[in-house]
Amino acid sequence: MKNIIVGTAGHIDHGKTTLVRALTGIDTDRLEEEKRRGITIDLGFAHLEHAGIRFGFVDVPGHERFVKNMLAGAGGIDMVLLVIGADESIKPQTREHFDICRLLDIRQGLVVLTKSDAVDEEVLELARMEAAEFVAGSFLDGAPIVSVSGVTGAGLPALREAMAAIAGRTKGRDTTAPFRLPIDRSFTLKGFGTVVTGTLTAGQLNVEQEVEVHPGGRRLRVRGVQVHGGAVDKAYAGQRTAVNLAGVEASELTRGLVLTPPDLFHSTQALDCSFTLLPGAQPLKHRAPIHFHAGTAEVEAQVRMLRGTEPLQPGTTGFVRLLLNEPLLLLPGDRFIARMFSPVITIGGGVVLDNAPPPRMKKPLVLDRLAQLEGASLPVRMSLFAQEDPAGCTVAALAARVGATPDALLAAAALAGLVPVRAAEPRLVAHTALDAYAAGLRLALAEFHRQNPLLRGMPRASAPVPAFLLDTLLASTKDVAAEEDLLRLGSHRLQFKGEEDEAIGRMEALFREAGLSVPAVNEVLAKSGVDANRARTLLQILLKDKKLVRISTDLIYHGDAIAQLRALLAARKGIRFGVADFKDWTGVSRKYAIPLLEFLDRERVTRRDGDQRLIL
């Protein structure tokens, strides 16, 4: 069943609560003071199922003193009922509430002319004309204008059908995104304990799930979930949801906090935004204080202009940075409302573009960056954020910045031009960054080979590439080869001078001719015909090429001699023998026999068993 959250909007005493009660049979005025005074003070909630659609109602107060309560409920609605009393028509809070709806980018709704029983047809028609003129050019331009009476029930069937038609073309909330539940109420219910309510704006919330509270990071367990008064195993985005939480007092969870999955999001106190200043507002100055409303939260904030310090003019939109006095959980795409300090009236609002803006960046670059982020798709945002660090961005950090699950980020990586990198923390790195690292590595290797023509390659630890990127880089860089702990250009070949070429041949011959009774290493180096340092380098080359085999610190054999020894033993497989037998078979003294046997044990050619060995 499709879930749609419907919010009321309109001036005080225009019949919003009466309308919701007439539609649903539920009185949303729950406070004693509300019943005594006959006005709505705080948010009220109701529900209705009609035409295969589950409507959740958020009824808001219309009095100017309670607009902040209205804002706590308006952030989660999908469809607005702009309520206009036919007997009074357009009033101040009609205008302010409608401005708020537009600033929150609510795109679906209709106009409801209430109290149709209290006026004659001529006045009702005049109210209809004024309403049509009022919403002209807005998202409600051309929307149904339905006249109803909450007292007689006139027009209610037509209103329900109009709501169902609009709901049919309203896009549902994303149930695959990480869940977020902004808390709008917290109370203690006898027999259950602490219960919080809110509109689930994204994702799914399960019974027995662990949740994290933002800001603060406290972990809690979900004991139970209710949707529209009934217990469920799981709540979905777009549903009014009540959550029974274990291990916390109701007084510790206040309006404005948000429940999310653990270890995914981070609260912030700095936001880069697109800000629209209403036409009737005063110019918005650099460093101006405001009341900032987002989701169910309200905090004080300061405005920082990003295009110089000139004020933002009424009726215009610009990029600003908002510095919040308290941390909040906000993601790109979240809408907000700004109100003046004195008088406390709505002056504008906008959309969050970045919840972790770079603290130091030249203003032209900041503005260009925000222009790219405005309205950007998930792959574009991922690409931009990841490219801001040559080493990329961890998947966890990127998830916190764009509000997507790690799986969704990995699925979109190719479209974003990013490469997944396995590390202690999985990362996404831009193809362009890998290309730059590859180019730098090639230059470093070319210079290394030029300065060290007799070395096979550069140690991996010396590569000018972050260690966690190196394997990924090598896998995609065909002209760089990795051999054990060395890196080299694929085109690199050892370059010997004439005397070096002769020396390496002379050294190899000395070891080959010696068989199993090898000469001392220093003796071979001395007979090489080149200086000791170059001779040692040439010896290392022979070892790397496996032409020579080092069996101990002091003993090096030619590979052919070791191969012949292996063949000799293979012909005696399964035989047990002692050191004396080995000396007889090979003709070597004990000086060579013991190191050779220990080498064969390590190579699992033989296995020692007391004073004897078994040929495997």
Side-chain angles (χ1 to χ4, degrees):
M1 186 176 291
K2 193 170 189 178
N3 296 285
I4 297 293
I5 300 297
V6 181
T8 61
H11 196 74
I12 185 173
D13 203 31
H14 277 202
K16 297 184 294 299
T17 301
T18 300
L19 174 65
V20 172
R21 184 169 59 244
L23 282 169
T24 67
I26 298 171
D27 184 1
T28 57
D29 280 347
R30 54 189 172 78
L31 302 178
E32 199 173 301
E33 186 180 357
E34 289 176 318
K35 297 184 182 300
R36 186 178 68 252
R37 295 173 61 181
I39 63 170
T40 298
I41 296 172
D42 203 357
L43 301 175
F45 308 99
H47 53 88
L48 169 71
E49 290 186 11
H50 178 72
I53 298 166
R54 184 185 287 117
F55 294 98
F57 287 84
V58 180
D59 184 32
V60 304
H63 196 287
E64 62 180 338
R65 288 177 53 195
F66 305 124
V67 170
K68 70 175 185 177
N69 291 341
M70 178 268 182
L71 287 166
I77 70 174
D78 305 306
M79 177 196 306
V80 65
L81 300 183
L82 181 61
V83 177
I84 301 174
D87 57 340
E88 291 190 326
S89 193
I90 312 299
K91 299 291 283 182
Q93 259 52 62
T94 313
R95 299 182 185 279
E96 184 171 15
H97 281 205
F98 193 49
D99 283 338
I100 289 169
C101 291
R102 286 185 289 180
L103 290 167
L104 291 175
D105 198 32
I106 296 170
R107 301 185 180 185
Q108 300 291 344
L110 49 82
V111 179
V112 184
L113 296 178
T114 55
K115 304 185 180 183
S116 64
D117 60 310
V119 298
D120 57 31
E121 283 298 324
E122 186 176 345
V123 173
L124 187 60
E125 185 57 31
L126 180 60
R128 184 184 301 277
M129 293 171 58
E130 289 178 347
E133 182 181 357
F134 177 64
V135 301
S138 75
F139 71 97
L140 289 184
D141 193 349
I145 301 176
V146 183
S147 57
V148 304
S149 168
V151 176
T152 67
L156 292 179
L159 176 57
R160 291 191 186 94
E161 293 308 313
M163 288 171 54
I166 294 170
R169 59 178 182 265
T170 300
K171 184 179 179 181
R173 301 270 176 162
D174 186 358
T175 60
T176 64
F179 77 83
R180 281 195 291 163
L181 183 78
I183 295 173
D184 51 40
R185 279 201 302 159
S186 176
F187 52 91
T188 301
L189 194 61
K190 189 174 181 180
F192 291 90
T194 298
V195 176
V196 298
T197 68
T199 298
L200 195 59
T201 57
Q204 305 174 23
L205 180 61
N206 304 326
V207 173
E208 295 301 326
Q209 184 167 359
E210 186 180 37
V211 299
E212 186 172 359
V213 183
H214 292 276
R218 185 171 181 176
R219 304 290 185 85
L220 300 171
R221 180 176 60 84
V222 176
R223 294 173 59 184
V225 176
Q226 286 196 353
V227 173
H228 297 163
V232 295
D233 291 330
K234 180 181 296 188
Y236 296 90
Q239 293 180 334
R240 286 292 307 168
T241 306
V243 185
N244 182 201
L245 295 169
V248 65
E249 297 296 324
S251 59
E252 299 176 76
L253 300 176
T254 57
R255 177 175 290 179
L257 297 178
V258 183
L259 303 184
T260 74
D263 298 322
L264 189 59
F265 297 130
H266 306 291
S267 300
T268 181
Q269 287 186 256
L271 304 166
D272 278 357
C273 312
S274 174
F275 191 106
T276 298
L277 190 62
L278 291 173
Q282 295 295 313
L284 185 64
K285 295 180 181 179
H286 183 60
R287 296 183 180 273
I290 60 169
H291 290 286
F292 176 89
H293 298 261
T296 60
E298 176 196 5
V299 299
E300 295 179 5
Q302 187 183 87
V303 179
R304 298 288 180 90
M305 297 298 164
L306 293 176
R307 192 186 297 275
T309 57
E310 290 298 313
L312 185 65
Q313 296 302 312
T316 65
T317 298
F319 295 132
V320 303
R321 179 164 294 174
L322 298 178
L323 302 181
L324 310 182
N325 286 11
E326 302 171 37
L328 291 180
L329 175 63
L330 292 158
L331 299 177
D334 285 352
R335 311 292 300 196
F336 64 88
I337 297 296
R339 307 191 81 212
M340 280 182 62
F341 260 65
S342 182
V344 184
I345 58 173
T346 302
I347 58 170
V351 61
V352 175
L353 301 178
D354 189 3
N355 60 1
R360 295 178 182 85
M361 184 181 283
K362 293 182 179 179
K363 285 190 175 180
L365 295 177
V366 172
L367 295 172
D368 180 63
R369 178 176 180 276
L370 293 178
Q372 294 179 62
L373 285 173
E374 192 169 26
S377 65
L378 175 63
V380 170
R381 283 183 283 141
M382 289 171 58
S383 176
L384 186 62
F385 291 147
Q387 288 188 65
E388 289 178 346
D389 186 334
C393 192
T394 66
V395 173
L398 201 54
R401 294 190 72 180
V402 302
T405 63
D407 287 346
L409 295 179
L410 292 172
L415 287 175
L418 303 179
V419 178
V421 174
R422 290 184 178 181
E425 289 189 273
R427 303 178 77 89
L428 290 171
V429 181
H431 275 291
T432 52
L434 286 177
D435 291 344
Y437 277 122
L441 179 59
R442 291 188 193 97
L443 289 174
L445 288 173
E447 180 62 17
F448 183 88
H449 294 326
R450 187 186 68 77
Q451 293 187 17
N452 305 278
L454 293 183
L455 294 184
R456 188 168 298 279
M458 171 193 290
R460 287 174 66 105
S462 301
V465 178
F468 64 83
L469 277 181
L470 192 53
D471 287 337
T472 299
L473 186 66
L474 293 173
S476 61
T477 309
K478 295 180 180 178
D479 54 353
V480 174
E483 296 175 348
E484 297 178 355
D485 62 341
L486 297 179
L487 304 176
R488 64 175 178 83
L489 290 174
S491 58
H492 175 63
R493 299 292 181 270
L494 298 182
Q495 300 173 19
F496 299 119
K497 296 177 182 177
E499 68 271 21
E500 292 166 347
D501 202 29
E502 292 176 6
I504 201 167
R506 187 178 299 118
M507 293 166 65
E508 183 183 358
L510 287 170
F511 282 108
R512 181 189 291 113
E513 292 164 4
L516 292 177
S517 299
V518 290
V521 172
N522 288 338
E523 181 184 335
V524 174
L525 297 177
K527 293 179 179 180
S528 67
V530 295
D531 65 79
N533 284 337
R534 283 195 292 168
R536 289 189 181 280
T537 299
L538 296 173
L539 181 65
Q540 292 302 316
I541 291 171
L542 288 169
L543 288 166
K544 284 286 185 184
D545 285 343
K546 301 190 184 306
K547 291 181 179 178
L548 301 182
V549 179
R550 184 186 293 276
I551 69 162
S552 69
T553 304
D554 301 322
L555 292 178
I556 294 176
Y557 287 79
H558 195 277
D560 290 349
I562 296 299
Q564 291 168 10
L565 177 59
R566 285 177 179 271
L568 182 151
L569 294 174
R572 294 169 169 79
K573 185 174 182 180
I575 293 178
R576 291 182 179 276
F577 68 96
V579 175
D581 298 318
F582 185 73
K583 289 166 60 180
D584 290 341
W585 296 341
T586 59
V588 298
S589 67
R590 188 176 182 85
K591 171 185 174 182
Y592 299 107
I594 297 302
L596 279 169
L597 286 169
E598 290 173 348
F599 167 76
L600 293 169
D601 290 342
R602 291 195 301 272
E603 292 290 301
R604 303 195 179 202
V605 176
T606 59
R607 185 178 70 227
R608 185 168 182 173
D609 186 9
D611 292 335
Q612 289 195 317
R613 282 177 170 82
L614 174 68
I615 302 174
L616 303 176

